[in-house]
Amino acid sequence: MFARRIPGLAGAVALAVALTSCGSSDSDSPAGDASDKSGQKTREFTVGDEKVSIPADPERVVATGYAVPTLIQADAPLVGISSWKRGEPMMDSEEKAAYDELPKVAGELASETNYEAIAEAEPDLIVLGVPVPVLGDIDMDRLKSIAPVVAVGPMVPSEWREVSRKHADAAGVLATYEKAEDAYDAKAAELKKKYANALDGLKFGHVGSYGDTSKGTFQREFNGSWGTNAAQDVGADYVGKPKEPGPGSKSVSEYPSLEELSDSLGASDVITYSVNTDGSVPDAVQAVLDSKLWKNLPAVKNRRALPVAFTEAATYGDAMKTLDAIDKSFAPLLDK
């Protein structure tokens, strides 16, 4: 239910949203203080300015968008999910099996919501992991008539951490989620220590995979974006900011023309670039690598252009794979 971001207006809408729909459990309302009509214990969960009464222990959860990989990995009691094609390459065999087996009650887009299928799944909680603008394509009243709805979406890519925590909290699997979070934090801290001296003072730049080859543009990502946020946890600093920052993803990335490669990345000591999970290079990135201007960049001449896989990780489980990829890519910097 959350489409892969593309350049232009659709891309801006996809992540141009503040966490106005963020949810959190209300610590002043302990589970068990209330019950719904069926007698199921409930608790209050804050979603934006609204307090939603949700099951204290959900038993049948429908998840969409960003909530899908998080709740699969946290072993939530899922009975239906949206399609999440962008995350399929990052799934291990067990996760992929669970993903394939679960009924798909929505497609990649919010407009592809199948309300009848959701109702047939008989959920006691619906977790929507989509940005607020996309919610306009959903009949929220109809969904709320089926089950309580928690809608939590990100503003910028790096906010998958906060968003996924809220999804896990709502679904009652926070303890499992926190184990993955702790494992990630420990590994990131280990790598940050390992590369502390090597990365000290280096200015990083990143080429993302969302450039538009038909328009001759490439994606430059800064701190907080898809290809940079995990590397930041290791100590990399992607200096600068978009020339014309906008809402959402436009605050952490921009789309210069290929002719602007030297101006955009010429001052970078190290340039990382997104590759697919199998190491192959996306077309939008290959167009950059094939450019004569790319070959003349100081970082490229100094062999400090480094590929990084799993840059679209949106869960701690997936981000562990990103850390592995970063460790492999950053290893040559230890010899500087």
Side-chain angles (χ1 to χ4, degrees):
M1 186 183 278
F2 186 77
R4 179 180 175 90
R5 202 188 64 79
I6 57 176
L9 179 60
V13 169
L15 282 174
V17 50
L19 289 171
T20 53
S21 62
C22 283
S24 62
S25 56
D26 189 340
S27 58
D28 296 326
S29 301
D33 276 4
S35 301
D36 62 15
K37 293 179 181 179
S38 67
Q40 187 177 31
K41 291 181 179 180
T42 61
R43 61 174 173 136
E44 282 191 336
F45 197 87
T46 304
V47 183
D49 296 328
E50 181 184 4
K51 289 186 181 296
V52 181
S53 179
I54 67 172
D57 252 332
E59 297 177 354
R60 300 181 62 83
V61 179
V62 161
T64 70
Y66 277 93
V68 172
T70 295
L71 298 187
I72 286 178
Q73 291 178 13
D75 199 25
L78 295 168
V79 293
I81 60 173
S82 71
S83 173
W84 184 249
K85 291 182 180 179
R86 59 163 277 189
E88 289 184 33
M90 288 182 276
M91 297 177 185
D92 61 27
S93 58
E94 186 176 346
E95 292 162 0
K96 185 61 164 58
Y99 171 83
D100 289 340
E101 184 178 346
L102 284 163
K104 304 302 184 291
V105 297
E108 293 289 305
L109 304 176
S111 58
E112 297 170 345
T113 302
N114 187 331
Y115 300 95
E116 290 80 9
I118 293 175
E120 289 174 4
E122 298 182 345
D124 57 8
L125 177 67
I126 300 170
V127 182
L128 299 181
V130 297
V132 170
V134 182
L135 293 178
D137 293 330
I138 297 176
D139 188 338
M140 291 296 291
D141 289 337
R142 190 171 180 183
L143 276 186
K144 290 177 181 179
S145 73
I146 298 172
V149 178
V150 168
V152 185
M155 179 176 68
V156 294
S158 60
E159 287 177 347
W160 62 261
R161 296 159 174 80
E162 296 87 348
V163 168
S164 61
R165 166 172 281 273
K166 293 175 174 70
H167 293 159
D169 186 7
V173 289
L174 194 56
T176 303
Y177 169 91
E178 287 180 335
K179 290 180 181 179
E181 180 183 26
D182 290 344
Y184 174 88
D185 287 345
K187 186 167 188 174
E190 177 186 336
L191 292 179
K192 188 170 186 178
K193 181 178 180 180
K194 176 180 178 179
Y195 288 100
N197 292 332
L199 303 187
D200 185 38
L202 294 180
K203 294 178 291 186
F204 278 71
H206 186 83
V207 176
S209 58
Y210 292 131
D212 189 343
T213 55
S214 67
K215 295 181 179 179
T217 65
F218 71 97
Q219 185 190 25
R220 166 83 185 274
E221 298 189 56
F222 303 93
N223 284 333
S225 194
W226 289 273
T228 62
N229 70 88
Q232 284 177 253
D233 291 340
V234 175
D237 184 17
Y238 291 85
V239 299
K241 59 183 180 179
K243 292 180 180 178
E244 298 180 7
S249 63
K250 286 189 174 181
S251 68
V252 294
S253 63
E254 64 184 7
Y255 300 89
S257 68
L258 286 171
E259 287 74 18
E260 297 177 272
L261 263 174
S262 298
D263 291 338
S264 182
L265 293 168
S268 299
D269 299 309
V270 180
I271 301 173
T272 53
Y273 56 93
S274 294
V275 296
N276 298 318
T277 56
D278 62 0
S280 61
V281 182
D283 290 343
V285 177
Q286 189 62 56
V288 176
L289 304 189
D290 290 340
S291 168
K292 292 182 179 179
L293 292 175
W294 168 262
K295 296 175 175 61
N296 287 323
L297 290 172
V300 176
K301 287 184 174 181
N302 292 329
R303 297 184 179 182
R304 288 186 172 181
L306 311 173
V308 179
F310 297 97
T311 54
E312 287 195 341
T315 71
Y316 282 109
D318 290 343
M320 289 286 278
K321 301 169 187 173
T322 314
L323 291 181
D324 285 336
I326 290 169
D327 188 18
K328 181 178 180 181
S329 289
F330 282 15
L333 297 178
L334 294 172
D335 298 326
K336 77 168 188 175

